[in-house]
Amino acid sequence: MKFSHSIQFNAVPDWSSHYIAYSNLKKLIFQLEKTIHRPGTTDDSERSPLIIANEDPDRLFSRALDVELEKISSFYQLKELEIYGEVSEFLKDEESYEAQAMENLDGEGRPGTSGRVSERQRSGSIFRSFVNRPRRTSTVSRSIDEGVEDSDDDDDENTALNKARPSTGRSKSTPNDINTSRAEQAEDLRASTEFSKSVRRQSQNYDDYANEAFEYLYSSGITLKKRAISLYVQLCELKSFVQLNKTGFTKVLKKYDKILDRNLKTKYIDKNVSPAYPFQPDTVKHIDENIARMEKAYADIVTKGDVALAKKELRLHLREHVVWERNTVWREMIGIERKAQAANMGIRRTLLGADNDPAKARLQGDEFDVAELKELTTPVGRFKLPAWLLSSTMFTLIVILAIFITLLNVSIMKKQEQQNCLAMLVFVSLLWATEAIPLFVTALLVPFLCVMLRVVRSDDKLHLRLSTKDATKYIFAAMWTPTIMLLLGGFAIAAALSKYDIAKRIATFVLSKAGTKPRVVLLTNMFVAAFASMWISNVAAPVLCFSIIQPMLRNLPSDSQMSKALILGIALASNIGGMLSPIASPQNIVALEIMDPGPSWLIWFFISLPVGIISILLIWILLLLSFHPGRGTSIVPIRPVKDKFSGVQWFISLVTLGTIVLWCFSTQLDWLFGEMGVIAIIPLILFFGTGILTKEDFNNFLWTIIILAAGGLSLGKAVNSSGLLHTIAKKITEEVAGLSLYGVLVVFASLILVVATFISHTVAALIILPLVHDVGKNMSEPHPRLLVMGSALMCSAAMGLPTSGFPNMTAIMMEDSQTGQRYLQVKHFISRGIPASIITLLVVISVGYGLMRLTGL
């Protein structure tokens, strides 16, 4: 997450205006950069810069930082005084609460008793002693218990009663004595009853008093607990305020030094930031001391003196407060970050209605919208149906399914397995071409349909249809091949080069040598993009190059032709770079799997490098003639990174170079490694085993591309096994029997160029390359590897539309940070991309054809 987003998310909402204005300072840096590199001055007051060019930028920026520092310091001192005052008041209230609670607990006595005080010792929290207090017994039961315990009263009553008992002697009583005895018993009984009523009244009064005292203390404890939590949160927010602002000063000064090539950071922090009151060591120490006091007070009130438990509960309350208070900010920040990183790569709703507008694409984590209903009018009546049922995507799926079912039941091929395979091939190809469902999901359908339709046959001469169990083993074995391991090895190298900034540092170093001439800068950027595509794939290369040229784009006018030429040149060169090495793009991996035997890396480089270099030079000339980027253009030179290579970066570089060398000589080393896929295991083990790459990096591999490639390989295997490929290739061979090898190459290169312009390059390779190989094998002069190699190179050359490959899609999303407008439009791709594709086609069928014949393909 960018720091400008991070500070906005972590800031206390009520204090947001008192944090460092990081975004404004960044804008000032870019303005200073423009002022420094502005070529001369102008007399037009409207166009004249707001910042005087001859003024020292360090002084200007320091002045802006001083304003921010004063704002932060003033606010902090006021807020600290307020919070510390509340903490002191709280601690006094907490002491008074404990004293009152102890007084009430220790002063408990029973009415009607001898006045003895129950000596109860304080055990644990006062607050919890009330919460966990045992249930009060009833007045009657307590009176009975008291009658048992208070023996003095009982002895008096028993004495009076005993007087009525007859003596054990045999003396006779007179009637007067009996009457007198009965009168005395009645009098004693009345006295005893009056005494009991008095005791009950006093006991009830005591219970009412005890209940009121308990409720008062309990409510006071709850109030103190809430105040403790609130003050703890405020103290933590105060500490976060200090840390965020200090980080902000460090980062903005680092950015200033980097962009303007100055050395202000260390001097300003030591002289101004560190001595400021909020950032002094004692300031943070006092915050920590007050936090510790609140933890101790909370422990005394709530957790029976357990400070560790008090810390745990308080941190839980702090987390709940942050989630509750900043939930909206969190969603907004995550949304911004996802859009910035994913651009046009949102999660598209296909079956449930495609999101054609990238800005409205549903992102991961977003709440799912309530299904929109559409009304359908029929002769029977009107019905409301979910909108996705009536979407164009659903109609496309229905049509494709209808074609699939029709082909399953119409006899076109003589054999049933070939008929089923034809239906499956058309079905999968249409799903890939229309992208009605995600490409990798379609790839997963391939093994499922191969087994269900029983299109796989045995490899022996009888070619019997395999059972479902044998077909399952056969088709899944075709999905995981050494070629897939080669793809994984390429991903590992790309991840390591990107993660540790090795690719960026190499690219920045080369671009820093390009100078300031627009023509040279454009050509250098194109070659850097092509070289990066060779090793970190043509998906990541344009993203890397676009990030490097950001300083250049910021200092060019919004309508500059140089900006358009740069972005389009990087995109087209990245497409060309997709053909330069076997691991540059998935279509090359598919071609290697189909060619038997596969060419070594040296042979691939021998063919692809001259083709790529000549194509880039010709496209460069095309861009110069169409954009004229040198007119009135002032280029800001790119500065290389001054930091030295670390030990980890050297290790990654050596492993990468060693792996590439082994790949280049894989043919000579097949006695040791067997296949290139085994060599690809070396960087996987060394990078992941040493911790350079982690499990998260492994999970971030483009697994959708791997599944797509595996599904395509299994489709090619199934089409070949069923005999369908041989049958179709035989018919095409008969049609092109009069054409030479060169003529067949031109036909297939042109065909795949057109197809790959409208659908994915990888999908075009998966569908057409197996057919090309079989046609080449059945020709009178068989050169299947040459045709496959030429067609694979043309897959990367299809770049006539914004949707023709990942580099084009990335380029069309590039926006001017000042105006928010896109640099390129569709017309720029059509007017330059289509001619660039035709230029590359001419180079492949001329220079490429000659080089392929020289290598003996």
Side-chain angles (χ1 to χ4, degrees):
M1 182 181 287
K2 294 181 180 179
F3 185 73
S4 56
H5 297 164
S6 178
I7 197 171
Q8 187 177 351
F9 166 63
N10 289 290
V12 180
D14 294 339
W15 304 353
S16 56
S17 60
H18 301 285
Y19 286 83
I20 183 174
Y22 185 80
S23 298
N24 292 340
L25 291 172
K26 273 178 59 180
K27 291 177 183 177
L28 177 60
I29 293 172
F30 297 146
Q31 186 64 42
L32 288 171
E33 181 189 27
K34 287 185 177 182
T35 304
I36 291 173
H37 298 290
R38 193 180 301 277
T41 58
T42 178
D43 296 332
D44 188 351
S45 59
E46 292 184 0
R47 296 187 179 183
S48 61
L50 297 175
I51 300 175
I52 302 173
N54 57 5
E55 190 170 357
D56 183 16
D58 284 1
R59 186 181 304 168
L60 280 170
F61 194 64
S62 297
R63 197 181 304 154
L65 290 175
D66 290 341
V67 173
E68 294 299 316
L69 188 59
E70 176 61 28
K71 175 186 73 175
I72 292 167
S73 298
S74 302
F75 174 78
Y76 176 82
Q77 291 180 41
L78 291 173
K79 188 55 66 174
E80 182 192 62
L81 188 64
E82 174 189 337
I83 295 176
Y84 284 4
E86 292 181 6
V87 169
S88 300
E89 185 180 351
F90 169 82
L91 293 175
K92 291 178 182 177
D93 292 345
E94 191 260 344
E95 289 178 3
S96 131
Y97 166 77
E98 287 198 5
Q100 185 178 4
M102 288 296 298
E103 181 180 340
N104 279 276
L105 279 174
D106 294 339
E108 277 190 355
R110 298 293 182 191
T113 64
S114 60
R116 289 182 292 107
V117 178
S118 61
E119 298 177 357
R120 297 186 182 179
Q121 298 296 328
R122 179 187 178 215
S123 60
S125 164
I126 299 172
F127 176 59
R128 291 205 170 176
S129 68
F130 281 109
V131 174
N132 299 324
R133 185 173 180 171
R135 181 178 178 271
R136 179 176 59 88
T137 57
S138 69
T139 307
V140 175
S141 61
R142 193 166 65 243
S143 300
I144 294 171
D145 292 339
E146 289 171 356
V148 173
E149 293 175 359
D150 298 337
S151 57
D152 293 343
D153 296 331
D154 290 341
D155 290 342
D156 293 340
E157 186 173 352
N158 290 336
T159 303
L161 291 174
N162 287 336
K163 292 179 181 178
R165 293 176 186 173
S167 63
T168 54
R170 297 188 57 89
S171 58
K172 294 182 179 179
S173 300
T174 63
N176 291 332
D177 292 337
I178 293 173
N179 292 335
T180 303
S181 177
R182 288 178 179 176
E184 289 177 354
Q185 289 177 9
E187 186 67 25
D188 291 340
L189 183 59
R190 281 194 301 270
S192 176
T193 303
E194 290 296 330
F195 176 79
S196 298
K197 289 180 179 181
S198 175
V199 170
R200 289 193 185 98
R201 281 194 299 269
Q202 293 180 22
S203 179
Q204 185 64 42
N205 292 337
Y206 169 76
D207 285 338
D208 293 340
Y209 166 77
N211 287 337
E212 290 177 3
F214 167 74
E215 289 173 1
Y216 172 76
L217 289 175
Y218 182 78
S219 62
S220 299
I222 290 291
T223 304
L224 285 175
K225 178 183 177 182
K226 290 180 179 179
R227 287 175 61 190
I229 293 170
S230 175
L231 287 171
Y232 179 83
V233 170
Q234 290 183 59
L235 287 167
C236 290
E237 289 175 337
L238 197 64
K239 185 176 181 180
S240 172
F241 179 82
V242 173
Q243 294 171 339
L244 271 176
N245 283 297
K246 187 172 184 180
T247 305
F249 278 110
T250 304
K251 284 187 172 292
V252 79
L253 281 163
K254 181 180 179 182
K255 183 172 286 292
Y256 173 83
D257 288 348
K258 179 181 177 183
I259 292 179
L260 273 70
D261 196 20
R262 315 289 287 192
N263 293 301
L264 180 63
K265 176 185 171 184
T266 305
K267 181 172 65 176
Y268 188 86
I269 287 180
D270 292 342
K271 184 179 178 181
N272 299 86
V273 177
S274 297
Y277 179 73
F279 308 114
Q280 293 176 2
D282 290 341
T283 302
V284 179
K285 183 180 178 182
H286 291 156
I287 297 176
D288 291 333
E289 288 173 354
N290 279 280
I291 290 175
R293 290 192 188 102
M294 296 311 303
E295 292 169 346
K296 179 66 169 61
Y298 187 89
D300 291 339
I301 298 171
V302 180
T303 62
K304 296 184 178 181
D306 189 342
V307 178
L309 181 59
K311 288 182 179 180
K312 184 177 179 181
E313 290 189 7
L314 284 170
R315 286 171 185 169
L316 181 62
H317 287 299
L318 175 64
R319 180 178 176 276
E320 290 175 351
H321 170 80
V322 170
V323 172
W324 175 261
E325 290 291 331
R326 307 174 196 176
N327 183 45
T328 303
V329 180
W330 166 260
R331 289 176 60 82
E332 289 176 357
M333 291 301 101
I334 293 301
I336 290 171
E337 201 64 22
R338 287 195 188 123
K339 289 175 184 176
Q341 292 178 356
N344 196 29
M345 307 299 290
I347 300 174
R348 299 304 182 85
R349 290 180 293 177
T350 51
L351 278 175
L352 303 182
D355 286 314
N356 296 318
D357 185 2
K360 297 180 180 179
R362 185 174 66 87
L363 297 172
Q364 185 176 357
D366 291 347
E367 292 182 2
F368 197 82
D369 299 333
V370 179
E372 184 184 350
L373 297 178
K374 283 189 176 181
E375 194 173 87
L376 181 65
T377 304
T378 65
V380 181
R382 294 182 179 181
F383 300 94
K384 287 186 177 181
L385 298 174
W388 60 269
L389 278 177
L390 303 177
S391 66
S392 58
T393 305
M394 180 55 67
F395 286 135
T396 303
L397 277 174
I398 293 173
V399 171
I400 294 174
L401 282 170
I403 294 173
F404 175 58
I405 295 171
T406 302
L407 288 175
L408 284 176
N409 293 282
V410 175
S411 296
I412 298 176
M413 311 302 294
K414 294 181 180 179
K415 296 183 178 180
Q416 185 62 42
E417 60 269 23
Q418 292 186 12
Q419 181 65 44
N420 291 350
C421 191
L422 175 64
M424 181 187 69
L425 178 63
V426 173
F427 178 62
V428 171
S429 299
L430 288 175
L431 287 177
W432 272 335
T434 60
E435 294 190 47
I437 60 176
L439 297 177
F440 74 95
V441 178
T442 303
L444 291 173
L445 277 175
V446 174
F448 178 79
L449 294 174
C450 286
V451 175
M452 296 293 292
L453 299 176
R454 294 189 63 197
V455 300
V456 182
R457 301 188 305 183
S458 61
D459 291 332
D460 54 24
K461 294 183 179 180
L462 296 177
H463 297 301
L464 300 175
R465 292 178 73 181
L466 295 179
S467 64
T468 54
K469 190 172 182 179
D470 293 334
T472 300
K473 297 177 181 178
Y474 184 92
I475 207 67
F476 277 109
M479 293 186 71
W480 190 266
T481 65
T483 307
I484 299 298
M485 283 304 304
L486 181 63
L487 193 59
L488 282 173
F491 284 163
I493 289 176
L497 293 176
S498 299
K499 182 176 180 179
Y500 290 89
D501 282 339
I502 297 173
K504 186 173 183 178
R505 293 183 66 169
I506 294 173
T508 305
F509 175 78
V510 174
L511 291 175
S512 67
K513 304 298 182 183
T516 57
K517 292 183 179 179
R519 293 184 178 185
V520 178
V521 170
L522 175 60
L523 182 62
T524 307
N525 274 280
M526 292 177 68
F527 273 115
V528 166
F531 180 78
S533 295
M534 290 177 64
W535 310 114
I536 63 172
S537 83
N538 61 355
V539 177
V543 177
L544 169 68
C545 293
F546 290 147
S547 67
I548 294 175
I549 65 169
Q550 281 301 320
M552 203 178 296
L553 296 176
R554 282 197 304 266
N555 289 277
L556 290 171
S558 299
D559 56 349
S560 172
Q561 296 297 307
M562 182 63 184
S563 300
K564 297 179 176 61
L566 262 179
I567 295 172
L568 188 58
I570 289 174
L572 298 179
S574 297
N575 280 304
I576 298 297
M579 68 172 70
L580 297 184
S581 77
I583 62 171
S585 55
Q587 54 265 28
N588 298 351
I589 299 292
V590 175
L592 282 176
E593 179 68 18
I594 292 174
M595 288 189 280
D596 187 21
S600 67
W601 277 51
L602 284 177
I603 293 177
W604 190 287
F605 287 148
F606 180 77
I607 298 169
S608 64
L609 287 179
V611 171
I613 291 171
I614 294 172
S615 299
I616 290 174
L617 288 172
L618 293 176
I619 293 172
W620 172 64
I621 295 173
L622 171 67
L623 294 177
L624 290 179
L625 294 176
S626 59
F627 281 116
H628 302 288
R631 292 180 180 175
T633 301
S634 176
I635 300 294
V636 177
I638 294 175
R639 290 181 293 275
V641 180
K642 297 179 181 179
D643 299 335
K644 294 182 179 180
F645 252 40
S646 65
V648 174
Q649 289 172 323
W650 279 116
F651 178 76
I652 294 170
S653 302
L654 292 175
V655 171
T656 301
L657 290 174
T659 304
I660 293 171
V661 169
L662 290 176
W663 275 334
C664 290
F665 294 97
S666 59
T667 304
Q668 290 78 9
L669 296 172
D670 58 356
W671 60 272
L672 179 61
F673 296 109
E675 294 278 353
M676 284 189 289
V678 177
I679 299 174
I681 298 176
I682 295 174
L684 287 167
I685 293 175
L686 292 178
F687 290 157
F688 286 99
T690 56
I692 290 174
L693 295 179
T694 63
K695 180 179 66 175
E696 286 72 22
D697 297 309
F698 189 76
N699 293 336
N700 288 332
F701 281 179
L702 295 175
W703 289 103
T704 54
I705 297 296
I706 295 173
I707 294 296
L708 178 61
L713 295 177
S714 64
L715 177 64
K717 193 78 172 178
V719 172
N720 183 53
S721 175
S722 67
L724 176 65
L725 183 63
H726 178 72
T727 302
I728 296 176
K730 187 176 180 181
K731 292 184 179 296
I732 295 177
T733 305
E734 293 173 357
E735 296 295 329
V736 298
L739 296 177
S740 63
L741 176 64
Y742 181 76
V744 175
L745 174 64
V746 171
V747 170
F748 277 116
S750 304
L751 172 65
I752 205 164
L753 175 63
V754 174
V755 173
T757 299
F758 295 96
I759 66 175
S760 164
H761 295 173
T762 306
V763 170
L766 291 172
I767 296 173
I768 299 177
L769 291 188
L771 181 62
V772 171
H773 181 268
D774 235 44
V775 170
K777 191 168 60 175
N778 292 329
M779 292 178 65
S780 56
E781 187 183 355
H783 285 280
R785 296 197 300 161
L786 185 148
L787 293 177
V788 171
M789 181 77 179
S791 300
L793 297 179
M794 284 311 303
C795 285
S796 297
M799 42 194 170
L801 294 175
T803 55
S804 303
F806 287 106
N808 289 14
M809 287 190 285
T810 307
I812 195 68
M813 296 302 295
M814 287 290 293
E815 294 181 351
D816 188 347
S817 59
Q818 298 177 2
T819 63
Q821 300 295 319
R822 291 180 180 175
Y823 286 105
L824 299 176
Q825 299 175 8
V826 176
K827 64 180 182 181
H828 295 121
F829 285 95
I830 295 176
S831 59
R832 279 85 171 178
I834 291 177
S837 300
I838 296 173
I839 288 172
T840 309
L841 170 65
L842 296 176
V843 174
V844 169
I845 62 177
S846 56
V847 178
Y849 176 74
L851 293 173
M852 286 186 284
R853 291 305 300 262
L854 283 177
T855 57
L857 289 179

